[in-house]
Amino acid sequence: MAGDNKTPLRVLITGAAGQIAYSLIPLIAKGEVFGQNQEIILHLLDIQPMLGVLNGVNMEISDCAFPLLRNVVPTASVEEAFKDIDYAFLVGAMPRREGMERKDLLKANVKIFKEQGGALDKYAKKDVRVLVVGNPANTNALICSKFAPSIPKENITAMTRLDQNRGMAQIADHIKTRVQDVRKLVIWGNHSNTQFPDTRFVEVSKDGNWVAVANVQHDAKWLKESLIPIVQKRGAEVIAARKLSSAMSAAQAAADHMKDWFHGTKKDEWVSMAVVSKGEYGVPEGLVFSFPVTVANKQWKIVPDLALDEFAREKIKITTTELEEERTEASAATAE
Ligand SMILES: NC(=O)c1ccc[n+]([C@@H]2O[C@H](COP(=O)([O-])OP(=O)(O)OC[C@H]3O[C@@H](n4cnc5c(N)ncnc54)[C@H](O)[C@@H]3O)[C@@H](O)[C@H]2O)c1
Ligand SMILES: O=C(O)CC[C@H](O)C(=O)O
């Protein structure tokens, strides 16, 4: 039976009246993140002017009759939203629209994450695990963590899983296989167009064995050069086509990120998560940077000792520089 013998998890989604939340709520409520035996209490935060819309979303949640959903707390109160939460999806922030620069978002959005960092610190459980989705996600996570000193920095992560999923789907399509037969694509750095989708470790399942992509029929130049800008620019391409930021795929990626953090990664599987750097691979300490990780017992661990060639080092430097610049801008914006 759904939820047997388990205390319900309190799961917060911010930006709950928005596009991404609309796709994310059913994934969580159906047990696709925390499992089919785990009851959930959903905390749904949005801003006061959106409470009418949030009420409509809540009516639809009720009409879905989700067996695992014990309760819903729709609110515009930060205190009520963050109270005793176990997991948080911090989605609520302004998305970029056509014609806007990504940097336009930074000033407005980091202030939200300063406030929500404070709320995590004050109201959430001390072992709360947080995924920041709202852009600029890496730097928002850094700011959130700065204002939540009582929460372990390892517990505040940002999302680059959408970039990983995009890249894996592109590779599967290119070499004409199934996406589940591709693994170990690594996203390094920022969730932005400076990110480095690194295909050097990609493996493909062939006749029941995992083999290096180099050993299967593929176009090496496409894999090394063309895939990178395709993944880097995919978000902008979706905005141009939809006139709205990606939402269904972002929700799926958020669910994938949290599911792997909660349940752990499969043997020999790597996933990309933006996590606090302790200097790994020469990335300055404190930046929230996307690395390949494995997860066990709800703890992520950066995959160690991967060789970086000149090409990789150069790409990692570009995205590192952008994140350092964002950190400086965000610190100034949140000091105001
Ligand atoms: N990391 C990623 O891969 C990724 C992918 C797609 C989108 N995003 C980002 O996710 C964010 C949300 O996108 P969306 O399409 O859902 O946007 P949306 O505009 O549809 O929804 C955002 C919601 O957040 C709410 N909000 C604003 N300020 C808030 C606050 N202080 N507290 C709580 N809620 C607040 C808004 O009222 C709105 O309902 C954007 O910043 C977008 O750029 C990130
Ligand atoms: O604003 C952007 O360029 C990207 C929006 C979103 O993060 C995505 O990757 O789809």
Side-chain angles (χ1 to χ4, degrees):
M1 239 171 68
D4 275 0
N5 302 325
K6 299 235 179 164
T7 312
L9 287 177
R10 290 186 178 271
V11 179
L12 166 65
I13 303 176
T14 70
Q19 290 272 329
I20 294 175
Y22 197 72
S23 292
L24 180 58
I25 289 166
L27 293 175
I28 295 171
K30 278 197 286 193
E32 292 187 19
V33 177
F34 300 104
Q36 298 299 330
N37 290 314
Q38 180 59 62
E39 287 195 347
I40 300 290
I41 297 173
L42 267 184
H43 291 214
L44 300 179
L45 176 71
D46 213 296
I47 51 176
Q48 193 74 31
M50 293 301 286
L51 279 186
V53 177
L54 189 57
N55 183 38
V57 172
N58 195 26
M59 284 156 64
E60 284 204 75
I61 293 173
S62 168
D63 296 347
C64 286
F66 292 117
L68 290 171
L69 202 55
R70 178 79 72 84
N71 195 11
V72 183
V73 185
T75 183
S77 153
V78 167
E79 175 171 356
E80 193 179 17
F82 282 78
K83 187 83 188 143
D84 290 336
I85 52 167
D86 300 285
Y87 287 86
F89 293 84
L90 301 187
V91 180
M94 190 201 295
R96 198 170 67 91
R97 295 189 188 252
E98 241 188 327
M100 277 173 80
E101 288 301 317
R102 208 170 161 279
K103 285 196 173 167
D104 298 337
L105 290 185
L106 190 138
K107 232 179 152 184
N109 284 348
V110 289
K111 290 187 181 141
I112 298 176
F113 288 85
K114 174 181 177 179
E115 183 197 23
Q116 296 188 351
L120 279 170
D121 199 53
K122 230 164 145 185
Y123 306 121
K125 293 209 177 118
K126 293 299 169 205
D127 62 352
V128 62
R129 281 167 169 74
V130 180
L131 168 60
V132 175
V133 175
N135 279 320
N138 300 51
T139 298
N140 287 339
L142 182 149
I143 292 299
C144 194
S145 184
K146 180 172 169 185
F147 289 94
S150 67
I151 308 295
K153 289 198 178 311
E154 292 74 17
N155 289 18
I156 301 183
T157 64
M159 187 164 98
T160 51
R161 184 58 172 267
L162 179 54
D163 309 293
Q164 177 191 319
N165 286 351
R166 286 168 170 163
M168 305 242 291
Q170 290 287 330
I171 293 169
D173 188 51
H174 191 72
I175 62 175
K176 305 206 175 358
T177 190
R178 304 177 311 170
V179 74
Q180 61 270 40
D181 291 334
V182 177
R183 70 180 187 186
K184 296 191 176 169
L185 172 70
V186 177
I187 306 296
W188 300 94
N190 201 2
H191 171 66
S192 76
N193 61 10
T194 68
Q195 66 177 271
F196 172 37
D198 183 355
T199 59
R200 294 171 309 134
F201 310 102
V202 169
E203 294 174 349
V204 178
S205 177
K206 208 164 182 297
D207 306 325
N209 295 310
W210 288 98
V211 295
V213 68
N215 297 332
V216 301
Q217 185 73 30
H218 76 291
D219 172 350
K221 195 166 153 58
W222 181 89
L223 200 62
K224 183 171 180 198
E225 292 172 17
S226 305
L227 180 77
I228 295 176
I230 290 174
V231 177
Q232 287 174 332
K233 293 180 190 158
R234 186 68 162 188
E237 208 187 342
V238 171
I239 291 174
R242 242 171 64 83
K243 315 291 177 222
L244 283 173
S245 181
S246 63
M248 176 181 23
S249 55
Q252 183 59 49
D256 289 343
H257 176 119
M258 206 59 114
K259 180 181 180 183
D260 286 337
W261 202 359
F262 187 78
H263 294 285
T265 45
K266 293 188 219 122
K267 186 174 176 295
D268 294 327
E269 182 191 33
W270 304 345
V271 293
S272 290
M273 285 170 64
V275 297
V276 62
S277 167
K278 292 201 178 83
E280 294 89 346
Y281 295 100
V283 174
E285 210 179 321
L287 288 185
V288 175
F289 196 93
S290 182
F291 291 102
V293 305
T294 53
V295 185
N297 304 319
K298 300 186 173 53
Q299 310 285 344
W300 52 261
K301 180 170 177 282
I302 295 173
V303 176
D305 304 326
L306 296 175
L308 297 181
D309 57 17
E310 203 39 52
F311 182 78
R313 260 196 290 274
E314 189 49 41
K315 295 279 181 214
I316 287 175
K317 194 168 150 217
I318 293 169
T319 196
T320 302
T321 301
E322 183 184 49
L323 279 169
E324 286 180 303
E325 286 167 7
E326 283 188 15
R327 173 162 66 181
T328 305
E329 282 174 45
S331 296
T334 50
E336 284 167 11

